[in-house]
Amino acid sequence: MRISVKAPLKAILAGEHAVVYGYPAVAVALDTYVRVVAEPGDDSFRVETELSCEGDVMADITRDGNVKDFRSESLREELTYVATAVRKASEEFDAHPSNLRIMSEAPAASGLGTSAAITAAVLLALAEVSNVDVSREEIRKLVREVELEVQGKASWTDATVVTYGGFVRVSGREFKPIEPERDPVLVVAHSQEPSRTGEMVRRVAEFRERLGIVDGIMKLIGKLVEDLEVALHDGDLRTVGELMNVNHGLLAALNVSTRALEEIVNVLRNAGALGAKVTGAGGGGCAVALFEREEDAKRAVETLSALGYEAFVTRPSPCGVKTEGSGS
Ligand code: MEV
């Protein structure tokens, strides 16, 4: 029996980093996915993945989350999420040993929640192979536990969006779907530099300990998220975009932007984006932009591609992690 599961990647429209300290964030699931194909295996969890530029990578993971026979340094962080998910699935529902193939439509370490999406997809795939029912809420909780173990600090944002899909406001453990009057067109552009969430969250935490003013920045981000939520719900995309631009300035003040991300944000704004900002942990990874018109979004992607950045037009996805199909 072969099971295929997909989980959406996500973009944070406002509130990353501040959300770790209890302020709200607004995020959206993207119509861009990771996929996990699983089949019952023998005595370990064999993982194959195409996520690395080194081509196919293979690893064997034991029930207690030890990674054996592993040959890719660049994928160490992603494999740690998978290994922790395997251990959790073994502890929580006695997961059956399985062969897992992991694929993604976007690069790893891009700030698009790839690790959370892979974790959610691996957990659901293992539950399906093991013939166990797990609720979405259990998946969300397990994804967050995996993130906490691997990253040290994590909000509920990525776990919530990859599990439930759509637009979501997250605050602490609580979340609320947002149903906007109008769906925007989104552009995601990759700086070609990796974004390591754990490391960036640690850097911001150190910065916050050293400079008292950083708490004020977090508070301001929290306030702009409240305003953005209302504007998004009302379909006032112009205000949403303006608030994203303000959020980008505050993220730059937290030192999570880079020269490449600044260039991308400027190109996106010059191409007609209503708003453009770093998305996710930053320090590399992606920027996200909001467009009213698809033609402008496509033109922005062409300009960014000519400059050597990987960029694509995407839309919000209403669905969270789900089984796509099964067969033998
Ligand atoms: C990561 O997508 C966003 C951060 O706010 C970390 C988190 O929320 O766990 C940087």
Side-chain angles (χ1 to χ4, degrees):
M1 156 92 101
R2 171 192 269 230
I3 307 281
S4 177
V5 171
K6 73 172 183 179
L9 299 177
K10 66 99 209 350
I12 297 182
L13 295 187
E16 49 274 268
H17 287 291
V19 71
V20 175
Y21 299 94
Y23 295 101
V26 170
V28 59
L30 303 176
D31 194 23
T32 309
Y33 300 91
V34 304
R35 284 190 167 73
V36 172
V37 177
E39 285 176 306
D42 297 331
D43 56 354
S44 71
F45 296 81
R46 170 151 290 203
V47 178
E48 257 181 82
T49 168
E50 299 162 356
L51 289 171
S52 161
C53 48
E54 297 151 41
D56 276 15
V57 175
M58 187 107 84
D60 264 324
I61 298 174
T62 58
R63 291 181 70 76
D64 52 4
N66 279 321
V67 183
K68 295 188 299 187
D69 186 22
F70 173 54
R71 282 165 261 130
S72 169
E73 263 321 301
S74 68
L75 278 187
R76 183 161 292 283
E77 195 176 49
E78 280 66 35
L79 256 291
T80 312
Y81 286 89
V82 176
T84 312
V86 162
R87 200 193 75 234
K88 289 266 172 208
S90 305
E91 288 165 3
E92 296 284 325
F93 51 81
D94 195 19
H96 192 286
S98 305
N99 298 327
L100 302 162
R101 179 151 191 88
I102 301 173
M103 294 148 280
S104 176
E105 292 174 6
S110 55
L112 299 177
T114 318
S115 312
I118 291 174
T119 305
V122 164
L123 287 166
L124 181 58
L126 289 177
E128 294 282 335
V129 168
S130 316
N131 240 325
V132 179
D133 270 343
V134 282
S135 67
R136 277 184 186 243
E137 206 35 39
E138 276 173 276
I139 291 187
R140 182 174 90 109
K141 185 180 128 281
L142 289 173
V143 173
R144 146 97 171 162
E145 282 177 16
V146 169
E147 286 192 303
L148 264 188
E149 275 194 38
V150 180
Q151 290 166 209
K153 258 186 181 34
S155 75
W156 286 83
T157 316
D158 292 16
T160 305
V161 186
V162 302
T163 306
Y164 287 98
F167 286 92
V168 205
R169 174 202 207 266
V170 181
S171 175
R173 196 194 166 115
E174 304 299 313
F175 70 98
K176 187 175 99 191
I178 305 171
E179 271 158 34
E181 284 270 314
R182 287 193 293 159
D183 259 358
V185 180
L186 300 166
V187 169
V188 170
H190 195 286
S191 62
Q192 313 300 113
E193 308 155 330
S195 169
R196 305 271 171 219
T197 307
E199 185 188 321
M200 295 312 291
V201 169
R202 271 191 299 281
R203 276 208 228 165
V204 170
E206 276 162 28
F207 193 43
R208 181 169 168 266
E209 267 165 37
R210 276 192 294 113
L211 288 191
I213 197 171
V214 171
D215 263 337
I217 298 177
M218 301 290 188
K219 197 164 170 198
L220 208 51
I221 294 176
K223 170 70 182 117
L224 79 81
V225 170
E226 304 284 359
D227 294 351
L228 182 140
E229 182 191 349
V230 174
L232 183 65
H233 176 267
D234 295 348
D236 179 1
L237 296 185
R238 182 167 164 220
T239 303
V240 173
E242 283 171 345
L243 290 167
M244 286 170 67
N245 287 339
V246 174
N247 195 174
H248 178 76
L250 296 172
L251 287 167
L254 293 177
N255 286 328
V256 304
S257 189
T258 63
R259 199 195 291 191
L261 285 165
E262 289 303 314
E263 180 175 44
I264 290 171
V265 163
N266 283 327
V267 168
L268 288 163
R269 289 181 190 162
N270 288 335
L274 298 172
K277 63 180 275 292
V278 168
T279 186
C286 288
V288 64
L290 190 80
F291 283 85
E292 201 147 31
R293 297 176 345 155
E294 184 137 0
E295 313 85 89
D296 292 342
K298 286 187 176 150
R299 237 197 356 263
V301 166
E302 277 166 23
T303 313
L304 287 165
S305 306
L307 288 169
Y309 297 112
E310 207 176 310
F312 56 93
V313 179
T314 184
R315 293 255 173 199
S317 164
C319 73
V321 63
K322 66 173 197 176
T323 307
E324 281 190 296
S326 54
S328 22

